[in-house]
Amino acid sequence: GHVMFILATTEPHRLPATIISRCQRFDFRRVALEEQIERLREVCDEEGIGIAEDALAFIARLSDGGMRDALSLLDQIIAFSGERITYDDVLSITGGMASDQFERLAQAIQDRDIAAALGLIDAFMQEGKSADKCMENLIYYFRDLLMVRMVPNSEALTERILDVKRFAAVAERFSADALIAMIDTLNYYQTEMKYSVQPQTLLEVAVMKLCSGAAAVAGRPQPAAAGGKAESAGPAAR
């Protein structure tokens, strides 16, 4: 009579009705970013570890709401860095990339500067980053830009974006439609990466496609057809 069984799942929709009818259901939420940062700070204080605030925030973001994952990451970083942890230490150990790197890439895409964009991709690879991780982080970056542009005052943004004003300045360079098109393009090539033996090539192709103007950039006119007139959308053009 004292026994209690606990069934934990991330896919409750797959549970059959015969199970659900015999259970009490409790939905757990992700731990808020601020709560995670505070707990990580407490652990560091107790262990006599000095850690930069931006490093704390980055660890919390990487854990995606999982406190256990955040503490595991912190443990690994302490083992590597010792009693003083910097933001660069966290980036190096986790394979993460600073948002200012993507800001430079976004600028190159806006300028349609393929050489600069590919140079940044090559720099990522030289730093030991994986192409699939770069792609994933790039999708997240443009997703954040889209959120800042579409929902500028959302409280949810503050949990993911550390410097909203800086993101807003970058987001203003692109239209919402352009950002959506970019995310669609990157998502397509991310899927293709799973079956490719040359993932870096697909990353480069995706970035070149963004630079080539496949997605419209805010404030930048679309190229006109020969003769200075916009291309007709008539049957011949189609």
Side-chain angles (χ1 to χ4, degrees), residues 27 33 43 73 104 117 123 144 147 150 199 202 206 208 211 228:
D27 291 311
L33 188 76
V43 171
L73 274 174
R104 293 196 296 273
D144 289 343
M147 291 296 291
M150 299 294 288
L202 287 179
M208 283 191 284
C211 289

Side-chain angles (χ1 to χ4, degrees), residues 34-112:
E34 287 302 321
E35 293 178 41
Q36 284 189 303
I37 291 173
E38 184 57 35
R39 178 57 184 155
L40 292 172
R41 188 183 293 113
E42 288 176 6
V43 171
C44 289
D45 289 344
E46 290 171 3
E47 299 296 326
I49 304 295
I51 185 168
E53 283 296 312
D54 50 359
L56 278 174
F58 194 80
I59 294 170
R61 287 187 62 183
L62 283 180
S63 66
D64 197 25
M67 195 69 243
R68 180 186 60 184
D69 292 343
L71 291 171
S72 295
L73 274 174
L74 178 63
D75 192 37
Q76 294 173 32
I77 293 164
I78 290 174
F80 176 85
S81 302
E83 296 184 354
R84 180 64 192 170
I85 300 172
T86 65
Y87 181 61
D88 288 338
D89 289 336
V90 176
L91 289 178
S92 175
I93 296 163
T94 61
M97 283 160 274
S99 62
D100 60 336
Q101 292 177 298
F102 288 120
E103 185 176 330
R104 293 196 296 273
L105 184 54
Q107 182 64 57
I109 290 171
Q110 184 195 27
D111 295 339
R112 300 187 181 181

Side-chain angles (χ1 to χ4, degrees), residues 213-234:
V217 178
R220 187 185 295 277
Q222 295 301 305
K229 295 182 180 180
E231 187 175 351
S232 168

Side-chain angles (χ1 to χ4, degrees), residues 34-207:
E34 287 302 321
E35 293 178 41
Q36 284 189 303
I37 291 173
E38 184 57 35
R39 178 57 184 155
L40 292 172
R41 188 183 293 113
E42 288 176 6
V43 171
C44 289
D45 289 344
E46 290 171 3
E47 299 296 326
I49 304 295
I51 185 168
E53 283 296 312
D54 50 359
L56 278 174
F58 194 80
I59 294 170
R61 287 187 62 183
L62 283 180
S63 66
D64 197 25
M67 195 69 243
R68 180 186 60 184
D69 292 343
L71 291 171
S72 295
L73 274 174
L74 178 63
D75 192 37
Q76 294 173 32
I77 293 164
I78 290 174
F80 176 85
S81 302
E83 296 184 354
R84 180 64 192 170
I85 300 172
T86 65
Y87 181 61
D88 288 338
D89 289 336
V90 176
L91 289 178
S92 175
I93 296 163
T94 61
M97 283 160 274
S99 62
D100 60 336
Q101 292 177 298
F102 288 120
E103 185 176 330
R104 293 196 296 273
L105 184 54
Q107 182 64 57
I109 290 171
Q110 184 195 27
D111 295 339
R112 300 187 181 181
D113 188 341
I114 293 177
L118 292 182
L120 288 167
I121 296 297
D122 185 62
F124 293 159
M125 299 300 105
Q126 292 298 324
E127 291 173 8
K129 315 299 185 189
S130 65
D132 57 339
K133 196 66 178 177
C134 285
M135 182 71 85
E136 178 185 330
N137 288 336
L138 190 56
I139 290 172
Y140 275 129
Y141 182 79
F142 281 110
R143 175 264 180 199
D144 289 343
L145 291 180
L146 180 63
M147 291 296 291
V148 166
R149 189 165 181 81
M150 299 294 288
V151 200
N153 298 316
S154 172
E155 292 183 3
L157 292 177
T158 60
E159 289 203 354
R160 182 167 177 85
I161 301 172
L162 303 179
D163 190 344
V164 177
K165 290 183 179 179
R166 186 170 178 176
F167 264 79
V170 179
E172 284 300 316
R173 304 173 192 168
F174 301 93
S175 69
D177 287 342
L179 291 170
I180 291 170
M182 289 177 185
I183 293 170
D184 283 343
T185 299
L186 294 172
N187 186 63
Y188 170 80
Y189 282 102
Q190 183 186 43
T191 302
E192 293 296 306
M193 266 186 181
K194 298 175 183 177
Y195 312 101
S196 173
V197 294
Q198 293 290 341
Q200 181 179 340
T201 300
L202 287 179
L203 175 61
E204 291 168 344
V205 169
V207 170

